[in-house]
Amino acid sequence: MIAEKYAKEIESLFERYPADQRKSAVLPLLHIAQQEYGYSSEEAMKEVAEIIGCDPTHVRGIAGFYSLYYEEEVGKYVLEVCNDLACALRGADEFIKMAEGKLGIDLEGTTEDGMFTLKNVMCLGACDRAPMLQCNLKFHENLDEAKFDQLIADYRAKAAAGDSEPTVVDKILIQTHH
Amino acid sequence: MAHVILRHRDVENIKELDVYVKNGGYEGLKKALSMTPEEVVNEIKAAGIRGRGGAGFPAGIKWSFMPKGDGQKYIVINNDESETGTFKDREILEGNPHQVIEGALIAAYAVGADMVYCYWRGEYMDAAYPAEKAIKDAYKAGYLGKNILGSGFDCDYHNHFGAGAYICGEETALLNSLMGNLGQPWSKPPFPAQAGAYDKPTVVNNVETLANVPPTMVNGADWYANLGTDQSNGVKIVCMSGHVARPGNYEVEMGKVTYRELIYGDEYCQGMRDGKEFKALLPSGGSGPVVLPDALDGNVSFEGLNDYGSMMGSASVIVMDEDTDMVWAALKMTHFFKHESCGKCTPCREGTFWLEKTLHRIMEGHGTEEDIKTLDRVAHSMQGKCLCALGEFAVSPVIGTLKHFRSEYVAKVRQAEAVPAD
Amino acid sequence: MSETVNIIVDGIEAEVPKGLTVVDAAKMVDVDIPVFCHHPKLEPVGMCRMCLVDIGMPMFDRETREPVMDDDGTQKINWGRGMQTGCTVRVADGMNVRTNTEGVLDARNTVIEFLLTSHPLDCPICDKGGECPLQNLTMAHGLGDSHFPFDQKMKNDKHVPLGDLIALDRERCIQCARCVRFQDEVVDDPVLGFHNRGRKLEIITYSDPGFDSYWSGNTTDICPVGALTTNDFRFGARPWELRPVASISPHGPEGENITMSTRQEAKSGGRVVIKRIMPRQNEQVNEIWISDRTRFGHHFADADGRLMTPMVRKNGELQAASWDEALSLVADKFKAAGSNAAGLSGDRMSNEDLFAFQDMMRNTVGTNNIDLANGRIAGGDVTAQVGVGTGTNLADMGAGDAVIVFASDLHEEAPIWWLRVKQAAQRGAKVFTFNVRETRLDAVAAETTLYKPGDAIDTARALLNALNVSDQKAKDGVGAIASAIADAENVVAFYGFEGLTYEETDSLSRILANVLLVNGNVGKANNGLIAVWPHNNTQGAWDMGIHPAFGPGYKALDKAGKSAADIYESGADALYVMGADPVGDGLMNGRKNVGFMVVQELFMNATAELADVVLPAQSWAERDGTFTNGERRIQLYYPAIAPMGKSKADWQIIGMLNEKMGGDKPKMAASLVFKKAIAAGVAQYKGMDYRSLAQVEKQFPDVGGADLYYGGNSYENKHGMGQQWASAAESGEVTSLDIPDAKSSKVSGIATIRTAALYTNGSLLQHSELLEPRMATPRIMINEADANGIATGDEVQVRVNGETMTLQAYVNGVAPQGVALLNGVPHVAGVIDAEITKG
């Protein structure tokens, strides 16, 4: 329940918007809920709706509209590789093939251990550093096979060690108050 | 020449408040606060700062559309930057965030707003630490909050993060997204200056546009107007990507640098990657029509590609070499637009879907000459009929490649027609 | 119409109201600009792009502001950079619109072609086929051909339940968002939404239960394709097989104008049956909306269990009898009983039935022992004096006006009024609600006053006193409300009976009448009092004189008869019960002291079970008649289906009986009862007849009927807008009303009151199986502070008026402290001291 766990943070989130505009916090709240529940589960969406005070239909619509919300279960780490034109000109499609092979999954698939989900996404705004991907919102740029191997190894090691580092969502949406 | 916008490349750690201030930071705001709001608007009008998001609408005129007098008003910074090939605003906010905050504050003062929302595309959350810190520091130092610099001017500033939708770069879609709705654009009027965020008058400016404001206030409108050409004042950041040796952002004075220099110049991209021949470039991500080698003599300015049937737009230059399959490139871009179509209006929702399907068929070797006509027709059926600019731009990759590279399409379908379908 | 502007549409010069959209303005001069997403009752969005037209404005020189002239001496027109959507642009003076240029026609072709690429070609099995805007506009504007391969079109789910009332066919949906917008903008139940984006955009509901709204059926009307259909009608019939019959809702006091679509069908044994209920446009009453109760609550008319033949008790058993036998027996008994006879009626009957009933009892039998069997709310005599003025249209109320809603939950009791008052508030009217608990309308109220149970009358008096004192500028409490009411241009007051006794409602109606009288908010349109009657024709029952103390038209009687309460207490030699169930309602304890009892009904109810004679009446669907709504609008309804068995209309039965007792011959038709008896006997109805009630006016916006692009939205009103009767205040001065002292029903324990639910299981709704899952379950809501160990979900025993009910408990923050709310149970008057025990 993020409502209890992040009560203070959520309150400060609402303070950013006009008092009668609680709906404005739906995107950040869903980011937080998704992190908490692993994906935008029914529970996560209902909780966000309750916090905002809107019908859950609205939250589900939001989750369906924006591509960073996952309505299906995903792995612990979501690797999103951009293969738009600019990245593809620099080998993004081949990079994805390589990644599929290494992870033993197809695009949209999740490794058997539930560790990684591989997706291709539209432009991430790092075209000059392709091939690139974002993993749980963290960018990894100028990649090649060797760097990818390292990256996967690093994440596996991190997970094995319990991965207690604050995430991007933690740092930007939860730990910020001004 | 020292950078005007990408100052972090010249001044180390300018993202920190003390460094920024030591290097003339917030002087523009101080100067603005010493003037009347109307004078500030006039200064920006006189400087001729045009919007850097792509449309090039003069910022000062946009500000002047805001109603006078009291009442809640908003400044919203468009940092949705989601056009393929665009990565300039991210660098500005990562490297030089105070300049954007300062620009937004000047805008807020000029139009009588007391709240700034900076709308970030969700994918940039990781790049937002410096900006988040900058906001905190600016509050602490009295540049944000109540009674800024003792002037009596109050202004708050918040980052707001999206969650993955190119369409939110369209200003009304962005405002809908800020308000917690689906990021779909609305049919204007009402314009944001009449009824924007929370139905209140709102200015939506691009990150780069606002970054141009503080140096203009410091150095004066004349200084700014003297940079660039008659129609394109100041400097522009160009995002270079694709088949070039050294991709990245380059800040250039408008009208002074050709696309050829950008690709081949030593201080820019230093040539094509692997020494390949240049084939074509998209000057504005997917949104501007593709241009051929002759256009390399065009310069970077709002009018610089007029003679070549295209436009600078956001200056997101995707360079393609001789090996590039232009039907493939068109499919890539069309897939992007189809994926990003919000679905609100019929021509874009259906048109992007069918453009992609048809291109797919051709790429997969099942196309016919009729399919090429279908592409023509769908593009025509979308043009001038969509609700927002996304739909209008979505036909650009198809129209542009059909115009210049029709033979590549024809070759593909002839080959397909020669081989019986399985 | 207020301000107008001059425009030119395809060369036709027209003067149209300012503020109209180009689409609606063009329609006024009979130029069709086709639309899909646009709807005059919704905010324009410009999504579908079907209405793209050329819109030009006359050119003026930027410097001199002089007109720029063309070579031919006419002013040049600036046609802008491209086509614009006619649904989002509002007309302006001098505007020039072209709807037939090559570009415009091409745009229509392409939009249609695009829409059809995703749309299945299943018109032959589609419910909308025949009244489908997409079908119509394809015929009118489509190419008749597609450039896209059929096998590559999107394939989507075809039977997606959106809850248990409405089904969605995703393939047919054209993403116009009318349903989503209706739910959000009009009825404020935003339980439909879009999911995903681009071509994958689809309608979803995620509420619990799915599509949780009292208005869901309306989305099937305004859906411009066959994407949304009701589970009641889906695959039931083709529109062209249906015979539309104009009618009035048999539920609720608002008098929703409806059309019953009927069909004679083999599967119903060759009978004509009601296939669906749809709105019939009446902008003054329900516009083009009806509640789901009205739409789905018609099944009682041809439900199993309808009484088919007269019955007479023989050897202790009710046995089938002929009309002659049954009526002869009744006639003998009532003739013999004379002034010791009594008549009790329900308030769902038509005016004709009610008039004939009291006429027979008073003038042939000879008794004034006449009353409503289940009178819950008084004040018909008060609305007769200060009821809302003729011409009242809640849609005209807005900024500068005020609405008072006292002791009523309009959302549950009269949803059309809830909707229209809510919309008035959204237009700027100040709404003041008064109740013991929060209600849905509070969301838009300028101020909500919560009074303690039993304090309703004192609270109303305080309001009246505050209005009467000269210094109305008090800034808080009732003082501030009083000053806002004093400042309002128009004031309408609704009052109901939640938590009130009959006597209290009498006082309340009079106090509110005086509130309205202080500043002359009576006797004119959009001013006056409205009683939130429990049923569709309670107003008519008052008008017809179903009252022991006055006759038709509120004519005071020399000698009042016995009230229903007296009759239940002391009995009668012969009792006539028409359309009511006092035994089932717990008002009458068996047949104690009743010598002979006849019950005239649709169903064998608890009272009928005890009767000596049972007479089968017709439902409203089988005959014609009139109902008078709470705004005192007399409205006509027509027969839709054939009579069940040997049943007869109530007025006919009464007429035959009356003749048997030596009275006049029965009238030949309901229209003659109205013209000869009612119009002659009820002063307020003078001059009216079925012809005048059947008069129609052109409705704006024009969304009824067989229109090309609004077709299937609503039926056009071809059969009568009804007529409002004038309250006394309209023709003469009404002075302040006396206020009797009502005994306040305060209690010492937890004050328990009964609250209404739109879907409460009862004699009518129980026959609509579709509504069953949504029926209010019998429950009691308790405040946390009063819970005493009771938790949500617990079964509790509640003792009310000597009866014990087993109810589910809810401790959910709805009930204020010290108050318990009963819901989903039959009517309970006033505030009671209920014993609540767990287990």
Side-chain angles (χ1 to χ4, degrees):
Chain A
M1 293 292 276
I2 62 167
E4 278 101 60
K5 190 170 171 187
Y6 300 118
K8 208 175 69 202
E9 289 82 355
I10 289 171
E11 230 14 77
S12 93
L13 210 49
F14 282 122
E15 281 165 15
R16 298 182 177 193
Y17 310 102
D20 58 343
Q21 299 288 341
R22 291 175 73 84
K23 223 163 72 173
S24 262
V26 67
L27 297 185
L29 283 174
L30 204 45
H31 278 301
I32 294 170
Q34 175 163 286
Q35 166 159 310
E36 192 68 18
Y37 292 91
Y39 70 108
S40 289
S41 62
E42 207 168 306
E43 210 184 345
M45 291 189 275
K46 284 200 165 144
E47 197 186 343
V48 169
E50 204 164 298
I51 294 171
I52 290 173
C54 68
D55 193 88
T57 306
H58 181 71
V59 181
R60 175 164 243 188
I62 293 288
F65 186 88
Y66 294 96
S67 59
L68 283 178
Y69 300 125
Y70 317 125
E71 292 182 273
E72 307 286 330
E73 265 184 85
V74 287
K76 184 170 170 62
Y77 300 107
V78 183
L79 305 173
E80 296 181 308
V81 187
C82 171
N83 67 338
D84 253 354
L85 178 62
C87 282
L89 292 172
R90 297 176 63 82
D93 285 329
E94 295 74 12
F95 181 84
I96 287 175
K97 282 223 165 55
M98 181 276 296
E100 285 177 323
K102 295 266 177 181
L103 296 169
I105 51 175
D106 292 334
L107 278 179
E108 298 298 316
T110 300
T111 55
E112 266 178 34
D113 58 1
M115 200 61 73
F116 296 103
T117 297
L118 185 68
K119 289 173 177 280
N120 69 323
V121 295
M122 299 295 104
C123 185
L124 291 172
C127 325
D128 53 336
R129 298 170 217 178
M132 61 81 61
L133 61 80
Q134 77 177 347
C135 175
N136 297 6
L137 295 177
K138 200 163 177 59
F139 279 20
H140 299 274
E141 301 168 326
N142 291 317
L143 296 175
D144 55 23
E145 189 171 341
K147 285 182 186 160
F148 182 74
D149 289 341
Q150 188 59 49
L151 186 129
I152 294 299
D154 288 349
Y155 274 113
R156 283 195 196 280
K158 220 160 131 175
D163 193 359
S164 56
E165 276 175 45
T167 63
V168 172
V169 168
D170 287 336
K171 286 198 255 181
I172 297 298
L173 294 179
I174 296 172
Q175 297 173 2
T176 54
H177 308 279
H178 29 261
Chain B
M1 195 180 110
H3 288 91
V4 174
I5 308 295
L6 303 177
R7 294 185 67 203
H8 52 287
R9 295 189 176 184
D10 306 326
V11 182
E12 201 180 339
N13 259 337
I14 199 164
K15 66 180 175 211
E16 299 297 338
L17 179 63
D18 51 344
V19 181
Y20 183 66
V21 170
K22 210 176 292 166
N23 287 276
Y26 290 106
E27 288 302 319
L29 174 63
K30 283 182 195 158
K31 188 161 170 198
L33 293 176
S34 72
M35 299 159 66
T36 67
E38 202 162 23
E39 285 168 349
V40 178
V41 173
N42 287 336
E43 189 77 4
I44 298 304
K45 263 193 200 167
I49 300 177
R50 292 177 62 179
R52 298 300 199 250
F57 193 82
I61 295 185
K62 205 175 203 178
W63 295 4
S64 70
F65 289 156
M66 291 287 274
K68 306 281 174 283
D70 295 340
Q72 182 68 56
K73 295 172 215 170
Y74 295 102
I75 299 290
V76 175
I77 308 175
N78 187 343
N79 185 31
D80 188 61
E81 187 161 73
S82 303
E83 175 87 49
T84 305
T86 318
F87 40 86
K88 61 189 179 65
D89 297 336
R90 172 183 160 210
E91 182 178 345
I92 298 170
L93 273 167
E94 250 184 322
N96 190 12
H98 283 289
Q99 191 161 326
V100 179
I101 296 171
E102 186 182 355
L105 281 169
I106 294 167
Y109 175 74
V111 304
D114 66 355
M115 175 65 86
V116 177
Y117 290 110
C118 184
Y119 186 99
W120 293 65
R121 60 178 304 192
E123 295 90 336
Y124 278 1
M125 215 184 279
D126 192 34
Y129 305 136
E132 282 287 344
K133 179 167 189 302
I135 296 166
K136 254 186 229 174
D137 293 345
Y139 265 104
K140 256 186 255 163
Y143 295 109
L144 284 173
K146 296 268 172 249
N147 191 20
I148 292 168
L149 300 174
S151 65
F153 166 56
D154 303 335
C155 193
D156 283 306
Y157 185 112
H158 295 295
N159 283 335
H160 179 93
F161 292 90
Y166 163 72
I167 185 62
C168 291
E170 199 282 341
E171 60 181 358
T172 59
L174 184 152
L175 293 171
N176 260 332
S177 183
L178 171 68
M179 294 187 276
N181 302 321
L182 298 190
Q184 294 183 322
W186 70 68
S187 181
K188 292 183 271 195
F191 291 91
Q194 303 166 289
Y198 312 112
D199 264 349
K200 299 286 188 283
T202 303
V203 166
V204 184
N205 277 148
N206 173 259
V207 169
E208 185 187 350
T209 312
L210 289 172
N212 276 281
V213 170
T216 305
M217 288 311 296
V218 171
N219 300 314
D222 287 348
W223 165 81
Y224 192 89
N226 283 332
L227 290 172
T229 68
D230 285 352
Q231 292 172 51
S232 306
N233 297 351
V235 296
K236 180 79 192 87
I237 300 173
V238 187
C239 312
M240 297 296 295
S241 67
H243 290 145
V244 290
R246 204 175 65 136
N249 287 319
Y250 298 97
E251 183 179 311
V252 301
E253 187 179 343
M254 289 235 244
K256 299 292 154 63
V257 180
T258 64
Y259 287 89
R260 186 184 308 284
E261 285 171 85
L262 273 171
I263 293 170
Y264 295 101
D266 277 348
E267 52 186 312
Y268 303 110
C269 293
Q270 299 174 351
M272 296 293 288
R273 198 176 60 170
D274 303 331
K276 292 270 174 66
E277 282 295 309
F278 171 88
K279 181 172 185 177
L281 68 76
L282 289 162
S284 181
S287 302
V290 65
V291 294
L292 304 183
D294 61 320
L296 291 179
D297 293 325
N299 63 56
V300 176
S301 63
F302 285 106
E303 66 279 17
L305 288 175
N306 284 358
D307 293 346
Y308 308 97
S310 196
M311 58 180 192
M312 174 182 80
S314 56
S316 318
V317 180
I318 303 173
V319 179
M320 289 168 281
D321 70 18
E322 55 189 311
D323 295 337
T324 312
D325 178 339
M326 295 311 287
V327 180
W328 170 84
L331 173 58
K332 275 278 181 195
M333 286 314 310
T334 302
H335 174 71
F336 172 84
F337 284 117
K338 178 220 149 194
H339 189 269
E340 299 300 333
S341 169
C342 78
K344 185 168 180 173
C345 79
T346 310
C348 175
R349 179 181 69 237
E350 306 290 340
T352 53
F353 173 84
W354 284 105
L355 284 178
E356 196 208 27
K357 280 242 170 209
T358 311
L359 281 166
H360 235 284
R361 207 157 51 231
I362 296 172
M363 267 311 284
E364 283 176 351
H366 304 304
T368 63
E369 301 246 12
E370 201 52 42
D371 286 330
I372 302 179
K373 283 190 206 149
T374 299
L375 290 176
D376 278 328
R377 191 185 147 74
V378 175
H380 164 81
S381 297
M382 293 171 68
Q383 273 184 307
K385 302 179 185 72
C386 296
L387 190 151
C388 81
L390 182 146
E392 300 296 329
F393 289 148
V395 299
S396 171
V398 167
I399 288 187
T401 51
L402 276 173
K403 181 175 165 199
H404 296 301
F405 303 99
R406 200 175 190 94
S407 60
E408 292 190 27
Y409 284 89
V410 173
K412 277 207 163 57
V413 300
R414 293 231 168 112
Q415 200 180 358
E417 281 166 341
V419 183
D422 37 55
Chain C
M1 299 277 177
S2 44
E3 252 183 288
T4 60
V5 293
N6 291 301
I7 61 169
I8 300 173
V9 185
D10 291 341
I12 306 166
E13 291 182 24
E15 189 181 340
V16 296
K18 196 179 169 182
L20 276 193
T21 65
V22 170
V23 165
D24 295 334
K27 202 170 176 63
M28 291 191 91
V29 291
D30 293 325
V31 172
D32 280 328
I33 301 177
V35 297
F36 288 113
C37 69
H38 181 62
H39 195 284
K41 296 279 184 191
L42 301 172
E43 288 298 315
V45 284
M47 295 166 66
C48 73
R49 319 304 286 173
M50 188 63 188
C51 66
L52 285 169
V53 286
D54 290 325
I55 296 174
M57 289 299 293
M59 274 169 82
F60 291 90
D61 189 279
R62 270 171 192 263
E63 304 292 316
T64 63
R65 302 304 303 154
E66 290 294 312
V68 179
M69 307 308 275
D70 221 335
D71 296 340
D72 63 0
T74 57
Q75 192 171 1
K76 267 194 179 167
I77 303 291
N78 176 4
W79 291 101
R81 283 197 299 178
M83 290 177 284
Q84 289 178 271
T85 41
C87 73
T88 57
V89 177
R90 309 248 173 212
V91 288
D93 214 25
M95 183 177 275
N96 200 323
V97 180
R98 291 191 305 215
T99 76
N100 48 18
T101 61
E102 212 172 299
V104 170
L105 300 179
D106 174 59
R108 288 177 192 169
N109 282 338
T110 62
V111 169
I112 291 268
E113 186 183 8
F114 273 143
L115 290 176
L116 292 179
T117 61
S118 314
H119 195 84
L121 300 176
D122 62 354
C123 304
I125 57 147
C126 178
D127 288 322
K128 202 80 171 186
E131 53 184 16
C132 171
L134 179 59
Q135 207 175 36
N136 294 342
L137 295 181
T138 299
M139 299 307 286
H141 303 285
L143 280 178
D145 194 10
S146 176
H147 294 80
F148 305 103
F150 184 75
D151 57 355
Q152 288 207 347
K153 67 184 268 313
M154 290 278 285
K155 290 184 179 58
N156 290 312
D157 298 340
K158 290 192 73 71
H159 306 293
V160 182
L162 297 179
D164 29 43
L165 300 177
I166 309 293
L168 166 67
D169 183 318
R170 290 204 195 286
E171 280 199 326
R172 294 181 190 154
C173 176
I174 58 167
Q175 288 81 25
C176 71
R178 273 189 187 176
C179 55
V180 176
R181 289 148 57 211
F182 168 80
Q183 287 299 132
D184 185 17
E185 291 169 22
V186 180
V187 298
D188 194 28
D189 286 330
V191 296
L192 293 187
F194 273 126
H195 186 248
N196 228 309
R197 66 188 187 207
R199 189 59 204 85
K200 290 184 184 156
L201 206 62
E202 59 184 25
I203 301 291
I204 54 160
T205 180
Y206 209 38
S207 63
D208 182 22
F211 205 162
D212 186 16
S213 174
Y214 286 161
W215 306 97
S216 65
N218 294 292
T219 62
T220 66
D221 300 334
I222 59 173
C223 179
V225 293
L228 293 174
T229 48
T230 69
N231 283 344
D232 205 24
F233 178 62
R234 193 153 54 104
F235 301 140
R238 312 315 312 274
W240 56 86
E241 301 163 352
L242 299 173
R243 194 175 70 92
V245 179
S247 189
I248 301 297
S249 171
H251 305 282
E254 311 101 294
E256 290 155 287
N257 287 212
I258 56 174
T259 291
M260 293 195 262
S261 296
T262 65
R263 182 177 77 163
Q264 184 173 23
E265 59 185 24
K267 72 174 182 185
S268 301
R271 292 191 60 242
V272 173
V273 291
I274 301 168
K275 300 304 288 183
R276 66 175 182 190
I277 301 276
M278 275 189 56
R280 179 166 57 102
Q281 189 174 17
N282 189 335
E283 288 298 311
Q284 303 217 45
V285 178
N286 55 308
E287 304 176 32
I288 57 165
W289 315 124
I290 57 175
S291 73
D292 285 354
R293 176 172 66 172
T294 288
R295 187 181 303 266
F296 300 118
H298 63 86
H299 293 281
F300 67 90
D302 50 10
D304 288 342
R306 278 283 305 276
L307 295 169
M308 304 296 251
T309 177
M311 284 186 278
V312 174
R313 190 170 297 278
K314 292 173 190 164
N315 308 319
E317 297 277 316
L318 281 169
Q319 290 178 15
S322 69
W323 274 110
D324 193 58
E325 182 190 354
L327 292 179
S328 296
L329 177 60
V330 175
D332 289 348
K333 295 288 185 184
F334 274 77
K335 207 67 201 147
S339 62
N340 287 328
L344 295 170
S345 173
D347 45 5
R348 297 183 187 275
M349 341 297 301
S350 79
N351 290 322
E352 293 73 10
D353 307 333
L354 295 160
F355 188 92
F357 183 68
Q358 63 80 34
D359 186 45
M360 174 186 77
M361 295 305 289
R362 287 197 167 108
N363 300 324
T364 306
V365 177
T367 180
N368 277 328
N369 299 337
I370 296 166
D371 204 352
L372 282 176
N374 193 354
R376 299 176 187 177
I377 167 171
D381 48 338
V382 180
T383 56
Q385 302 200 58
V386 298
V388 285
T390 49
T392 291
N393 184 351
L394 295 172
D396 291 339
M397 298 189 77
D401 301 332
V403 180
I404 299 168
V405 179
F406 214 114
S408 176
D409 181 349
L410 288 182
H411 187 249
E412 302 296 329
E413 296 173 40
I416 289 289
W417 288 343
W418 170 82
L419 174 63
R420 305 188 92 214
V421 171
K422 181 203 75 136
Q423 291 181 320
Q426 288 169 330
R427 286 187 296 268
K430 286 190 171 149
V431 173
F432 299 102
T433 55
F434 296 79
N435 206 327
V436 298
R437 52 146 190 144
E438 288 171 359
T439 66
R440 178 91 191 256
L441 192 60
D442 299 351
V444 293
E447 191 152 339
T448 294
T449 306
L450 296 182
Y451 51 78
K452 293 255 178 295
D455 283 352
I457 302 305
D458 289 349
T459 307
R461 273 188 206 278
L463 177 67
L464 177 61
N465 292 340
L467 263 167
N468 275 326
V469 295
S470 54
D471 177 22
Q472 289 162 350
K473 296 297 161 200
K475 286 284 179 281
D476 56 345
V478 284
I481 296 172
S483 101
I485 289 168
D487 289 344
E489 191 182 340
N490 301 299
V491 183
V492 167
F494 289 86
Y495 74 100
F497 53 95
E498 185 171 304
L500 302 180
T501 61
Y502 189 84
E503 288 68 32
E504 283 176 306
T505 60
D506 188 37
S507 297
L508 177 61
S509 68
R510 290 163 189 278
I511 297 169
L512 290 175
N514 290 347
V515 163
L516 293 163
L517 284 162
V518 171
N519 291 301
N521 295 116
V522 296
K524 53 191 182 186
N526 305 324
N527 285 278
L529 190 63
I530 298 179
V532 187
W533 303 118
H535 293 124
N536 54 310
N537 202 31
T538 319
Q539 178 73 51
W542 281 85
D543 296 351
M544 296 306 116
I546 305 299
H547 198 282
F550 49 75
Y554 302 93
K555 241 187 290 171
L557 300 171
D558 294 340
K559 187 171 176 296
K562 289 204 253 180
S563 71
D566 289 345
I567 296 165
Y568 296 141
E569 185 59 39
S570 61
D573 288 358
L575 174 63
Y576 205 117
V577 181
M578 178 171 80
D581 185 13
V583 174
D585 291 344
L587 299 166
M588 186 164 119
N589 189 7
R591 280 196 47 179
K592 192 178 68 172
N593 303 329
V594 172
F596 176 84
M597 183 161 76
V598 55
V599 173
Q600 187 168 309
E601 249 298 335
L602 299 181
F603 298 99
M604 183 59 77
N605 63 26
T607 311
E609 301 267 10
L610 303 177
D612 297 297
V613 174
V614 176
L615 303 174
Q618 289 170 1
S619 75
W620 106 114
E622 291 148 75
R623 32 74 58 95
D624 53 357
T626 57
F627 296 143
T628 306
N629 79 357
E631 297 175 88
R632 298 185 333 285
R633 179 178 293 270
I634 302 137
Q635 305 191 102
L636 185 54
Y637 63 90
Y638 297 80
I641 58 175
M644 288 289 215
K646 293 180 183 164
S647 67
K648 291 184 185 297
D650 293 276
W651 64 265
Q652 268 177 319
I653 302 172
I654 303 288
M656 288 158 64
L657 185 59
N658 194 41
E659 189 182 19
K660 275 202 187 296
M661 289 191 289
D664 290 345
K665 282 172 96 62
K667 299 280 185 297
M668 295 296 286
S671 58
L672 292 173
V673 178
F674 192 93
K675 191 172 177 172
K676 302 282 184 201
I678 297 178
V682 181
Q684 292 85 346
Y685 288 52
K686 198 176 163 200
M688 296 182 193
D689 59 18
Y690 276 18
R691 226 182 279 179
S692 68
L693 297 176
Q695 275 171 8
V696 292
E697 294 159 25
K698 189 168 168 58
Q699 298 291 288
F700 188 85
D702 180 10
V703 290
D707 188 84
L708 262 192
Y709 40 103
Y710 297 130
N713 279 205
S714 161
Y715 277 91
E716 187 181 343
N717 202 325
K718 293 179 181 167
H719 293 89
M721 322 291 302
Q723 273 178 286
Q724 266 177 306
W725 61 264
S727 65
E730 291 179 55
S731 48
E733 191 159 322
V734 173
T735 50
S736 165
L737 277 69
D738 290 339
I739 305 166
D741 270 329
K743 205 176 103 218
S744 162
S745 51
K746 273 188 184 167
V747 298
S748 51
I750 295 177
T752 303
I753 64 169
R754 186 259 192 185
T755 64
L758 188 66
Y759 306 140
T760 301
N761 206 347
S763 56
L764 301 192
L765 285 191
Q766 64 176 337
H767 302 287
S768 287
E769 282 170 28
L770 266 177
L771 291 177
E772 219 231 294
R774 296 186 182 225
M775 218 63 90
T777 52
R779 65 177 70 185
I780 184 163
M781 288 175 276
I782 314 168
N783 189 278
E784 206 171 331
D786 308 320
N788 224 345
I790 295 169
T792 295
D794 285 353
E795 258 189 12
V796 293
Q797 309 289 321
V798 182
R799 216 169 150 68
V800 176
N801 298 345
E803 298 265 335
T804 301
M805 295 186 275
T806 303
L807 303 173
Q808 191 141 47
Y810 285 79
V811 184
N812 55 2
V814 174
Q817 195 173 340
V819 178
L821 305 172
L822 296 169
N823 195 241
V825 302
H827 177 65
V828 179
V831 181
I832 42 180
D833 194 354
E835 274 173 60
I836 304 165
T837 48
K838 199 172 155 177

